Amino acid sequence: MMHSLRSSIGALVAASAIALAPAAMQAQTTFTSFDDFVATVGVIGTDGFDDLTGFYAPGPLARSAGAAPYEVQGSGAPFDVLLSLENPAETGDLWLSTEEATAPLAFGGFSSDVFAIGGRFFATDLGGSVTGTALRIAALDVMGNSVETIITPNTADAFFGVRFAHALVSFTITADNDAFAGTAFFPTVNSLVLGGVRTVPEPSATWLLVMGALGLLMLARRRGRAGHEAL
C-alpha cells in the first residue's frame, strides 16, 4: 500500500516537473500580424520616425525604440544616405527610406536583450508612393540562426516581424529592383518595433497538479508517522 502510494506521488511529481518546464522555443518565428507579434513578444519600444522632418543624412544613423538603441544604414554606392518621406495619406506621419534604390535598409547595433524585430515594411517609388514591390528580408541572431524570405506588402500598414530564441544581430530589407527594366523601388519602414522574450505564464491546471502531488505527499507522511507510533 505504502509503496503504491509513493509510486503514485512520484508519477505526479514527475508530471508536474514536465508541465512546469518551459517549452522549447523555436529558433525563429515569423509574424505577419502586429497583434500576434505583440501577444508573443515582450515589446521593448517602437520608433515611429516622426522626428525626421526634412531629414536627409548619411548613415549609419543612431536611433532607439523605447529603451532599446540600434543603428540603421543604407549601404548603397557611392553614398550611404537615408531620408524621410511623409505619408501621403497622413500629414506628420514620417517614414524612413534610402536615397539609393539598390541599397538595403540594414538594422544592427542591438543590445543583448533584443530578440525580436518587427515593423511596417514596404517599397516606395520616386514619388514616395507605396508600390507593392517585393521585399527581400534577411535576419540573423548571435547563434547563427537566420531567416531569409520574400514579402509583398501592398500597403504602408503591412506588418512583418521575426523573433529568435537568441539575441538579434542584424535585420535587412531590400527592394526587388529589375535592373534591365530600369526600375527604382526603395525599401521603406514605419513604426519599427524591438522586443525581448515574453514569459508565458503556467496554466492553472499545472498548479492543481502540483497541489495534488503535495497533498498526497503530506498524507503519506502522516500515515508513515501513524505506523511508527502503532509499533
Side-chain angles (χ1 to χ4, degrees), residues 100-102 124-126 131 133 175-186:
E100 171 61 47
T102 58
T124 52
D125 61 17
L126 283 170
T131 67
T133 301
D176 194 4
N177 286 281
D178 186 346
F180 295 100
T183 58
F185 302 128
F186 305 83

Side-chain angles (χ1 to χ4, degrees), residues 29-34 36-38 40-41 116 159-163:
T29 306
T30 59
F31 303 85
T32 55
S33 163
F34 176 73
D36 290 345
F37 182 87
V38 171
T40 306
V41 177
F159 180 85
F160 179 84
V162 59
R163 182 196 67 178

Side-chain angles (χ1 to χ4, degrees), residues 97-193:
S97 189
T98 63
E99 188 271 340
E100 171 61 47
T102 58
L105 272 176
F107 303 86
F110 306 108
S111 56
S112 60
D113 59 342
V114 173
F115 286 62
I117 186 170
R120 314 289 181 181
F121 303 109
F122 46 95
T124 52
D125 61 17
L126 283 170
S129 298
V130 179
T131 67
T133 301
L135 294 176
R136 299 180 181 276
I137 304 291
L140 181 72
D141 74 4
V142 295
M143 299 301 292
N145 299 306
S146 64
V147 167
E148 293 186 11
T149 189
I150 296 176
I151 61 174
T152 53
N154 293 312
T155 71
D157 292 325
F159 180 85
F160 179 84
V162 59
R163 182 196 67 178
F164 287 96
H166 305 280
L168 181 67
V169 171
S170 64
F171 182 86
T172 303
I173 62 172
T174 308
D176 194 4
N177 286 281
D178 186 346
F180 295 100
T183 58
F185 302 128
F186 305 83
T188 307
V189 58
N190 191 24
S191 301
L192 186 80
V193 184

Side-chain angles (χ1 to χ4, degrees), residues 24-111:
M25 184 184 295
Q26 293 181 350
Q28 59 272 339
T29 306
T30 59
F31 303 85
T32 55
S33 163
F34 176 73
D35 291 338
D36 290 345
F37 182 87
V38 171
T40 306
V41 177
V43 173
I44 298 173
T46 301
D47 187 358
F49 306 107
D50 293 339
D51 60 316
L52 298 180
T53 303
F55 181 82
Y56 188 90
L61 179 65
R63 300 288 297 177
S64 65
Y70 73 92
E71 290 184 348
V72 56
Q73 62 183 346
S75 53
F79 304 109
D80 173 7
V81 178
L82 300 166
L83 69 155
S84 64
L85 302 173
E86 186 170 41
N87 182 352
E90 185 177 344
T91 301
D93 179 26
L94 300 181
W95 305 334
L96 181 67
S97 189
T98 63
E99 188 271 340
E100 171 61 47
T102 58
L105 272 176
F107 303 86
F110 306 108
S111 56

Side-chain angles (χ1 to χ4, degrees), residues 12 16 20 204-218:
L12 278 171
S16 301
L20 284 171
S204 57
T206 299
W207 291 110
L208 291 176
L209 187 62
V210 173
M211 294 303 293
L214 291 175
L216 285 175
L217 183 60
M218 292 176 64

